[in-house]
Amino acid sequence: MAQRITVDPITRIEGHLRIDVEVEDAAITKAWSSGQMWRGIEVILKGRDPRDAWLFTQRICGVCTTVHALASVRTVENALGMEIPINAQYIRNLVMSLHALHDHIVHFYVLSALDWVDVVSALKAGIKKTVALAETLSNWPGNSFNRFKAVQEKVQAIVDSGQLGPFANGYWGHPAMTLPPEANLMAVSHYLEALDYQRKADKAIAILSGKNPHIQNMSVGGVTAAINPDNETTLNIERLYWVKQLAEEVRGFVHKVYLPDVIAIGALYKDWLAYGAGVTNYLAVPDMPLDTRGTSFDLPGGTIVGADLKTVKPITGFNDPYFKENVVESIAHSWYKGDWSKHPFKEETVPDYTDFQDNGKYSWIKAPRFKDMPMQVGPLAQVLVGYAQGHKLTKKYVDDALSRVSTLAGAQVGADVLHSTPGRHLARAIRAAMLSDLALEHWDKLVANIGTGDLEIFNKPTFPKGEQMGFGFHEAPRGTLSHWIVIRDGKIENYQCVVPSTWNAGPRDGKGAPGPYEASLVGNPMANPQLPLEVLRTIHSFDPCIACAVHMLDPHGRELTRVKAL
Amino acid sequence: MNQSPKTGILGVGNLLLGDEGFGVHVINRLQESYRFPANVELLDGGTAGIMLSPFIEDKDMLFVIDVVSLDAEPGSIHLFGHEDVCAGNIQTRMSPHQVGLLEILDLCRLREKAPQRIEMITVVPADLSTRIGLSRPLARAVDRVITLLLGRLEKIDILPTMGVV
């Protein structure tokens, strides 16, 4: 008999997301993804000075502050046809990569590891066996007998106290939790360490940006982080070396803990490599520009259609018409007035709430499409478009990770396993490894350029009379983020943000094609509809963030899962 | 507690959603109008989640200013003391902000780096629509919250002075 399951809200994400699935014979047959919060903050920008837009857009979301700041300044610069000094480009690249490193580490350990790791099972782990397991993965100093013993005692104390804290909502003992106790203990230990390293990344951003959250050093035309190697109040050599030190420590954690952990979990859950592919059209934009105009990049962008790497088509720069002309948003199934697909320059945002209608409107999220196709965005898209184009750094890390998964799983796996729920985690960890290398490379480039005596950080923007249109993108931790602006006589006439989670979490479009979350759930197993762990695994693997949003204390609890026989 | 406990005043909320930004408005007012001793740190936390953990972890005493979803008069102030926070009488885990402040506090506690005392000073919002600025009842509540906060600080011998740096 078919059952309808509603998970509302999905926990451990930013924002309010509702997922409905139909289950038959212990597998998901149909799914709906519904954003339960209105997203229309852009209206606040109308009539304002375009130079201030980034300060507002970075308040849209509490997690993605930096990414909206960066996309916004790029957007206004694009509308004005500006270049920025190379120092500003490098500083932005450093901020962007450190932010992504923070975000990827937090996502894996704090927001999704508990979908795969059974904390209570860690109590049964042998300490010596845990050390032995960890040694096969890396030589991280934190993988010691004393450390694992202390962590196990801490878990015991928590379980004895009955106050499970952050572990309270876990699915302990769920039949889909199949890691050996030693792997669970190792993962809990790394979970507790992860916070120290995401914090180092944050600290480095704060040194470069003055403040975090809400960086203060962006500006249309460059950055405001004045460089003077010998001045105490500016970005000087001492501060630059502090940033380097922190970036190196974060790199160590990514290479020796995060990436090996994800490889191990991918291998130990190898059955899951068959689930969660969903939409296999991919979109990523290039990032970490290497010149003042944004025509060459350290991270490639492009599109792939239907999981076929041979279809890859590159997106080459900040002005590429292939990106600019092919993005539309559909509201056929979204709570906005009308039934249109429009280019972001021409969109309007007029809310029109109905109830949740399975075949009608059911989400506040719009459905973005590229050449009328749904696209999956995020680290997996970025890694695949790089891999398909033979990008050296991507190829090195992907091939290495797949060979380590193969060894641990005892079965040869190829790049096709990346189209899956664990594949998204693996791609994110690979991207983190690449970013941790590139952050240090861009640090070197910045310092070398300062060494030539070039201290320029800012080109002054000027706003001509009349209308200008521009777009700016950034390959954010959750994928392709684009902002779109229409400026008239120096004021904002229209502003739209097409955010990564809109691409992934959006509803069906006018042709009935489901979005990536929806498609990825179909075919997933479901051991116990009362405890829909499998839904969380697949949705969390996208790193959902749909808050853009609010922060209110709620003194009342509410039920999380409703199951209904159909 | 030692002579000068490290004290944090954390204002959270979204500035673009009217009263939702109350905590941030209070921090801005405090920074404009008062000078605090060196052991006190103020933070506009926005709607950040886990990013707030470094700020929280190195404090002995933490005051949080936020809005609260209660069926009470807009602008009314509700205090949640340390015991309420610890006993789990309030939940943010199931609120829209899924990595809520309380979850972060749990995590800090697990790492044995949590403040010894936490107090939440919260206000019931009137208007959460997309706009910048507070509604009238909440604009009036800013001064009342600041008076209340200064009273709490005085109890632990923290006496800010009026005036801009």
Side-chain angles (χ1 to χ4, degrees):
Chain A
M1 188 183 64
Q3 276 183 312
R4 167 79 167 235
I5 300 168
T6 302
V7 189
D8 179 22
I10 293 274
T11 51
R12 266 185 276 121
I13 67 166
E14 298 288 338
H16 191 165
L17 177 71
R18 164 178 166 175
I19 296 284
D20 283 57
V21 293
E22 278 181 21
V23 179
E24 204 160 358
D25 299 329
I28 295 169
T29 53
K30 215 171 176 187
W32 293 263
S33 161
S34 169
Q36 294 282 300
M37 280 165 14
W38 184 56
R39 255 202 84 255
I41 287 178
E42 295 100 323
V43 297
I44 222 160
L45 290 165
K46 201 174 159 138
R48 291 186 189 272
D49 188 326
R51 289 171 298 185
D52 296 339
W54 69 275
L55 284 162
F56 291 93
T57 58
Q58 74 165 336
R59 292 274 176 179
I60 293 178
C61 170
V63 182
C64 318
T65 56
T66 306
V67 305
H68 284 295
L70 184 55
S72 181
V73 290
R74 285 179 176 172
T75 300
V76 182
E77 286 154 9
N78 179 270
L80 300 177
M82 289 183 75
E83 297 179 31
I84 66 166
I86 194 68
N87 282 329
Q89 213 67 290
Y90 293 146
I91 289 172
R92 288 181 182 182
N93 290 344
L94 271 172
V95 169
M96 165 256 158
S97 50
L98 289 161
H99 168 76
L101 286 164
H102 152 87
D103 212 276
H104 291 339
I105 292 170
V106 169
H107 172 255
F108 182 70
Y109 287 99
V110 182
L111 305 180
S112 55
L114 301 181
D115 297 344
W116 308 91
V117 173
D118 188 331
V119 175
V120 178
S121 147
L123 294 176
K124 291 189 237 130
I127 306 290
K128 276 190 188 155
K129 274 174 79 182
T130 308
V131 174
L133 167 73
E135 276 172 356
T136 65
L137 298 173
S138 85
N139 60 349
W140 180 246
N143 292 338
S144 69
F145 184 91
N146 288 344
R147 162 89 192 166
F148 288 145
K149 188 161 179 288
V151 170
Q152 196 179 44
E153 283 164 4
K154 187 178 284 194
V155 173
Q156 185 70 60
I158 292 166
V159 170
D160 290 347
S161 77
Q163 299 250 322
L164 286 177
F167 302 145
N169 275 353
Y171 289 113
W172 317 134
H174 192 284
M177 291 281 199
T178 55
L179 287 186
E182 287 74 23
N184 285 316
L185 177 57
M186 180 184 76
V188 174
S189 174
H190 294 166
Y191 168 96
L192 294 170
E193 271 180 298
L195 273 194
D196 289 327
Y197 289 87
Q198 59 91 20
R199 161 180 201 164
K200 288 179 198 290
D202 276 352
K203 180 78 206 170
I205 298 169
I207 295 166
L208 289 165
S209 309
K211 185 167 174 286
N212 193 15
H214 317 117
I215 57 171
Q216 298 295 311
N217 69 328
M218 289 291 151
S219 182
V220 171
V223 295
T224 55
I227 302 168
N228 183 339
D230 307 316
N231 186 322
E232 269 187 31
T233 60
T234 63
L235 190 55
N236 55 30
I237 289 298
E238 188 192 339
R239 285 187 195 173
L240 282 166
Y241 271 90
W242 193 4
V243 169
K244 186 184 191 191
Q245 164 76 29
L246 291 163
E248 279 172 346
E249 289 178 47
V250 173
R251 182 178 180 277
F253 184 80
V254 168
H255 282 256
K256 294 191 170 176
V257 181
Y258 175 27
L259 183 57
D261 278 355
V262 181
I263 287 171
I265 284 181
L268 293 167
Y269 278 107
K270 60 175 185 265
D271 292 354
W272 269 83
L273 294 170
Y275 300 126
V279 171
T280 52
N281 308 321
Y282 297 96
L283 166 69
V285 287
D287 215 317
M288 299 193 85
L290 292 160
D291 61 359
T292 57
R293 285 189 302 149
T295 59
S296 89
F297 298 85
D298 254 338
L299 291 171
T303 56
I304 288 170
V305 176
D308 181 357
L309 300 192
K310 290 197 291 294
T311 63
V312 70
K313 188 166 178 196
I315 294 170
T316 55
F318 282 167
N319 260 319
D320 194 336
Y322 180 55
F323 183 79
K324 181 183 183 176
E325 286 161 15
N326 287 313
V327 175
V328 295
E329 291 201 284
S330 158
I331 57 156
H333 291 275
S334 312
W335 287 313
Y336 299 96
K337 213 171 185 73
D339 174 11
W340 42 254
S341 274
K342 284 186 184 174
H343 188 277
F345 285 144
K346 303 198 170 114
E347 276 185 52
E348 70 256 347
T349 305
V350 184
D352 182 22
Y353 182 75
T354 63
D355 266 340
F356 190 107
Q357 302 169 334
D358 283 4
N359 298 309
K361 291 183 182 269
Y362 62 87
S363 179
W364 282 116
I365 303 175
K366 295 173 184 172
R369 293 295 181 261
F370 190 88
K371 282 180 150 293
D372 292 328
M373 294 179 291
M375 306 298 275
Q376 183 180 151
V377 302
L380 176 56
Q382 194 190 30
V383 163
L384 286 175
V385 301
Y387 194 73
Q389 292 175 63
H391 180 247
K392 259 191 179 162
L393 192 64
T394 311
K395 232 178 131 8
K396 174 182 129 183
Y397 279 111
V398 169
D399 289 339
D400 178 60
L402 291 174
S403 114
R404 285 155 77 186
V405 170
S406 302
T407 307
L408 284 169
Q412 200 58 37
V413 299
D416 53 314
V417 302
L418 293 172
H419 309 283
S420 68
T421 294
R424 273 184 286 274
H425 285 295
L426 192 56
R428 193 171 292 110
I430 288 170
R431 180 177 193 257
M434 288 165 41
L435 285 169
S436 71
D437 293 358
L438 289 172
L440 289 164
E441 269 182 39
H442 282 248
W443 186 92
D444 286 341
K445 287 178 199 290
L446 173 65
V447 170
N449 191 57
I450 293 171
T452 67
D454 175 8
L455 304 181
E456 290 302 318
I457 52 167
F458 175 67
N459 297 332
K460 194 174 177 350
T462 50
F463 291 86
K465 280 270 170 210
E467 190 176 88
Q468 301 91 38
M469 292 200 262
F471 71 108
F473 54 63
H474 164 40
E475 186 63 21
R478 291 170 187 81
T480 298
L481 166 68
S482 57
H483 285 194
W484 307 75
I485 196 170
V486 180
I487 302 171
R488 188 167 299 146
D489 298 332
K491 298 272 183 246
I492 296 172
E493 177 69 21
N494 194 4
Y495 202 103
Q496 294 288 334
C497 307
V498 183
V499 307
S501 295
T502 314
W503 287 99
N504 285 338
R508 289 157 176 75
D509 57 28
K511 292 189 281 188
Y517 284 11
E518 299 175 329
S520 69
L521 287 167
V522 173
N524 271 217
M526 178 75 94
N528 178 354
Q530 299 288 345
L531 301 169
L533 174 63
E534 297 89 343
V535 170
L536 293 183
R537 280 187 178 168
T538 290
I539 295 299
H540 281 159
S541 73
F542 285 94
D543 192 358
C545 178
I546 55 157
C548 311
V550 292
H551 189 298
M552 183 150 49
L553 275 173
D554 184 357
H556 316 289
R558 51 180 292 195
E559 66 178 338
L560 292 172
T561 310
R562 286 194 305 278
V563 181
K564 192 169 87 186
L566 296 176
Chain B
M1 225 174 262
N2 59 29
Q3 281 297 301
S4 54
K6 287 187 79 174
T7 301
I9 303 169
L10 173 64
V12 286
N14 193 326
L15 271 184
L16 306 184
L17 297 174
D19 292 344
E20 167 56 34
F22 181 79
V24 178
H25 287 284
V26 170
I27 293 293
N28 289 344
R29 178 78 64 85
L30 287 170
Q31 280 170 338
E32 282 159 21
S33 314
Y34 297 90
R35 295 173 66 178
F36 286 89
N39 61 319
V40 180
E41 207 183 329
L42 278 65
L43 182 69
D44 152 17
T47 53
I50 199 77
M51 214 183 256
L52 303 175
S53 69
F55 179 84
I56 294 171
E57 284 191 347
D58 75 353
K59 300 294 176 295
D60 301 307
M61 172 83 211
L62 178 69
F63 294 93
V64 180
I65 323 253
D66 199 355
V67 280
V68 65
S69 167
L70 272 179
D71 191 13
E73 196 178 334
S76 60
I77 298 172
H78 301 266
L79 230 100
F80 295 93
H82 193 66
E83 290 68 28
D84 296 314
V85 177
C86 290
N89 290 344
I90 21 178
Q91 305 192 23
T92 55
R93 188 167 297 115
M94 296 173 195
S95 81
H97 198 79
Q98 291 301 325
V99 198
L101 203 53
L102 297 190
E103 198 158 353
I104 295 161
L105 286 171
D106 278 342
L107 204 48
C108 296
R109 230 171 263 138
L110 196 65
R111 286 159 48 83
E112 290 160 17
K113 290 177 183 172
Q116 290 158 33
R117 282 198 67 78
I118 299 152
E119 285 185 21
M120 295 192 170
I121 305 175
T122 66
V123 176
V124 177
D127 180 4
L128 297 173
S129 59
T130 307
R131 64 192 194 95
I132 293 167
L134 296 172
S135 65
R136 287 187 69 167
L138 267 81
R140 282 197 292 266
V142 170
D143 283 334
R144 285 188 289 130
V145 162
I146 287 177
T147 307
L148 198 147
L149 174 71
L150 295 178
R152 313 297 287 183
L153 289 172
E154 200 179 337
K155 285 201 176 137
I156 49 173
D157 296 325
I158 293 172
L159 300 165
T161 53
M162 294 284 282
V164 187
V165 182

